Amino acid sequence: MTIKQKSMQWLAGILLTVGGFLMVLPFLWMILSAFKPEPEFARFPPTLWPETFTLEHYFELFERMNFGVYLRNTLIIVFFSFLGMLLNAMAGYGFAKYKFKGREPLFYLVLATLMIPGQVTMIPVYLILNKMGLTNTMTGIVLPSLVGAFAIFLFRQFMSTIPDELLEATRLDGAGEFRIFLQIVLPISVSVLAVQGILTFIAGWNSFLWPLIIANDAKYYTLSVGLQLLKGQYSSNYGLQMAGSAVMVVPIIIVFLLFQRYIMDNYTISGIK
Amino acid sequence: MKMFTTRSAPYFFIAPALILLFLFSLLPILIALLISFTDMDLAGLADYANIHFVGLANYTKILRDGSFLKAIGNTLFYVVFGVPFVILFSLAIALLINFGKSRVFDIFRAAFYMPSVTNVVAVAVVWSYLYNPSLGLFNTVLNFFGLPDVRWLQDPVTAKISLIILALWRAIGLNMLIFLAAIKGIPKSYYEAAQLDGAGTWKQIRHITVPLLRFAIFFVSVTTLIGWLQFFEEPFVMTDGGPLEGTMSVALFVYKNGFQFSEFGYAAAGSFILFFAIITLTLLQFRLQRKED
């Protein structure tokens, strides 16, 4: 490398360091502030590093403010999101590996749902759930976003590459169709399952709108709805708010940092060029 | 034991997902269209006999509704500033990261993507505190450099810009990844040939990378435009459309009329106008793209 190239590398590195620092700054600020006792927030100028570290906000969230219940509900939603992912994988497999009447039009219908904006379906979906008697139930919260066209599309793309001979051989051995799916297809698809699994976890953990619309009862609130409530009711308790945000954000950042390689690879799989 | 034959198997595999998509994506479109021609509200929800056909009344009324027109204006503001900034920043960052030869640059990739995976409410809570006029970090930093306070969320125009900054922060990561994947797909031989001809880094970016990224840029501009037209979560959680409806977007208008005022028919009409705008602008983009080719 010439000196000019070297200095260009350094320049790019410095620009990205400054930009990257600004990107993570809100997270650092949140995590540090969550440890400050409430009086320290009134200080001017604000202290960057907490003078006294306290965990009181976390205790308050979980002991007095129902965050334990919210956390449980959020985890239930995450669990059902994974069931939804299995349904997506099944549909992707059905479209990829079987010839049947109506395959093409049905698949185009699935893709067409990608273009429908959420604002248009929001009210009718509520009316449908209301008609089914599912408002203020966990089922009602989970159902509307259980399956998604994009995931079905990705599973279909990947599973089309599984050789037919392999499935045929297993079939000759007398395995049922669903067993082939569980014991042959899913293990082969582990890379796309990993990507979808992480994205499913993130989406389930972060889900906000349907829990907000469907749950009237605090016992069905998720972390995001509970946090929204906290923001309104304790708008001047910044320590409490920052701790609540940290409860939502830190687990997802840990999951992201552990598995980020898979997310980054997703974009090579989907083949956007 | 076989639960079903090979003939019926595909239907078994696709049925659950298809039924759910039909119930919560396709059927709702029809229902939305139907109720947009009715006066459906809470009374109508309780007893369908209270619903009356009103023709185009919702549409004519909404197009004269000051709040809705304001929401359209705000949404255009978001689109006009949001789309170019998202493309510019994510492309620039992708180019810089790709330019780096050291492994350190992988860390930057993670740092820039991180905001994309976080929950909007949590992020809104943190940013409201950052934007706080007296205690917030942003004004403290400005004061430190001798600059006056900014009324981040208190002034109708500034509040729009503040929300765009927040949304930009959340949107860069995903689009940066799309650009990075596209850049990686450009054959190395193009650059080697250019280097032999004596082209510098900047020339290579301008004459090889950016032209070959045409499709990726088009893809990102379409999805980003659709995203900004549906801009909802940030104004909903941060400002609830205020101050003085200064941050109210069309999508938020629809939500408020539907779920806070229970004017289901009226809100459905608003959502269809939004849908129509999205389809029109997307088709327009496709046409412009084809003309360029």
Side-chain angles (χ1 to χ4, degrees), chain B residues 8-22:
Chain B
S8 67
Y11 298 104
F12 163 82
F13 281 115
I14 64 170
L18 244 56
I19 290 169
L20 285 169
L21 277 182
F22 173 77

Side-chain angles (χ1 to χ4, degrees), chain B:
Chain B
M1 184 198 78
K2 283 189 186 181
M3 285 198 298
F4 39 75
T5 64
T6 316
R7 265 175 77 86
S8 67
Y11 298 104
F12 163 82
F13 281 115
I14 64 170
L18 244 56
I19 290 169
L20 285 169
L21 277 182
F22 173 77
L23 214 57
F24 297 115
S25 264
L26 295 169
L27 183 64
I29 277 281
L30 289 177
I31 297 179
L33 187 63
L34 277 178
I35 60 173
S36 75
F37 298 115
T38 69
D39 62 353
M40 182 163 191
D41 52 13
L42 265 191
L45 187 64
D47 182 359
Y48 288 175
N50 291 325
I51 305 172
H52 308 97
F53 179 74
V54 294
L56 289 170
N58 285 329
Y59 289 92
T60 51
K61 190 177 149 208
I62 204 167
L63 288 172
R64 271 176 290 156
D65 183 335
S67 303
F68 188 69
L69 297 179
K70 201 155 192 187
I72 292 181
N74 290 338
T75 306
L76 288 178
F77 187 97
Y78 293 134
V79 167
V80 167
F81 291 99
V83 175
F85 276 121
V86 168
I87 297 174
L88 214 68
F89 274 92
S90 32
L91 182 58
I93 290 160
L95 286 172
L96 279 173
I97 289 179
N98 185 64
F99 176 70
K101 300 214 163 30
S102 140
R103 291 297 307 267
V104 186
F105 286 81
D106 288 351
I107 300 175
F108 293 129
R109 204 174 56 166
F112 281 95
Y113 190 73
M114 208 185 273
S116 309
V117 298
T118 49
N119 174 274
V120 65
V121 185
V123 157
V125 167
V126 176
W127 279 72
S128 297
Y129 179 42
L130 290 170
Y131 279 145
N132 187 294
S134 52
L135 301 168
L137 184 65
F138 289 163
N139 275 349
T140 309
V141 172
L142 286 178
N143 293 159
F144 180 79
F145 290 108
L147 295 163
D149 281 348
V150 172
R151 299 168 72 221
W152 295 104
L153 296 174
Q154 286 73 38
D155 172 80
V157 178
T158 320
K160 277 193 270 286
I161 299 170
S162 304
L163 290 189
I164 290 179
I165 296 174
L166 166 59
L168 189 65
W169 177 75
R170 293 184 74 213
I172 283 177
L174 183 67
N175 295 307
M176 169 202 76
L177 279 195
I178 293 172
F179 282 132
L180 268 177
I183 292 172
K184 292 255 169 358
I186 299 175
K188 286 239 169 19
S189 55
Y190 290 11
Y191 295 106
E192 284 156 9
Q195 273 160 12
L196 284 180
D197 289 344
T201 313
W202 178 241
K203 269 211 165 126
Q204 290 176 32
I205 290 176
R206 259 194 59 197
H207 295 293
I208 301 175
T209 318
V210 172
L212 285 172
L213 288 181
R214 268 247 300 287
F215 181 72
I217 293 172
F218 174 66
F219 178 83
V220 169
S221 62
V222 170
T223 51
T224 308
L225 177 77
I226 295 176
W228 282 108
L229 284 171
Q230 298 182 49
F231 195 46
F232 169 71
E233 289 181 318
E234 283 84 355
F236 176 54
V237 198
M238 291 283 285
T239 57
D240 198 25
L244 301 170
E245 299 185 335
T247 57
M248 177 80 80
S249 66
V250 174
L252 182 56
F253 179 92
V254 170
Y255 176 87
K256 275 178 165 283
N257 275 278
F259 292 107
Q260 285 174 7
F261 313 138
S262 297
E263 298 281 352
F264 300 119
Y266 195 54
S271 76
F272 255 90
I273 292 174
L274 177 65
F275 193 15
F276 188 71
I278 290 174
I279 292 176
T280 315
L281 286 173
T282 310
L283 288 179
L284 196 74
Q285 271 187 309
F286 271 94
R287 275 199 94 148
L288 286 175
Q289 171 80 2
R290 211 167 294 150
K291 232 182 207 164
E292 261 181 44
D293 292 338

Side-chain angles (χ1 to χ4, degrees), chain A residues 9 23 29 41 100-101 119 123-124 127-128 130-131 177 206 228 231 238 241 245 256 264 267 273, chain B residues 4 10-11 13 23 28 45 48 99 101 113 117 119 125 129-130 132 135 169 174 177 215 230 237 267:
Chain A
Q9 287 284 317
M23 291 303 270
W29 185 240
F41 284 88
F100 55 92
K101 234 176 149 184
Q119 281 77 30
I123 291 160
L127 299 178
I128 292 170
N130 188 53
K131 186 85 188 155
E177 297 298 320
N206 286 343
Q228 167 86 344
K231 183 176 186 274
Y238 290 108
Q241 289 189 35
S245 302
F256 165 69
M264 306 290 176
Y267 294 91
K273 285 218 175 102
Chain B
F4 39 75
Y11 298 104
F13 281 115
L23 214 57
L45 187 64
Y48 288 175
F99 176 70
K101 300 214 163 30
Y113 190 73
V117 298
N119 174 274
V125 167
Y129 179 42
L130 290 170
N132 187 294
L135 301 168
W169 177 75
L174 183 67
L177 279 195
F215 181 72
Q230 298 182 49
V237 198

Side-chain angles (χ1 to χ4, degrees), chain A residues 4-68:
Chain A
K4 194 183 163 212
Q5 279 172 324
K6 236 183 190 154
S7 52
M8 292 279 275
Q9 287 284 317
W10 273 99
L11 186 68
I14 291 167
L15 277 175
L16 286 172
T17 310
V18 173
F21 176 72
L22 290 176
M23 291 303 270
V24 295
L25 179 70
F27 299 125
L28 295 176
W29 185 240
M30 169 193 79
I31 291 169
L32 287 175
S33 301
F35 289 117
K36 290 182 196 169
E38 213 57 68
E40 213 178 309
F41 284 88
R43 199 81 59 79
F44 189 85
T47 48
L48 280 178
W49 196 260
E51 272 173 15
T52 23
F53 274 83
T54 172
L55 288 173
E56 63 180 40
H57 304 305
Y58 293 101
F59 284 115
E60 195 169 353
L61 286 176
F62 282 93
E63 280 170 5
R64 271 196 31 224
M65 316 208 46
N66 269 333
F67 262 59

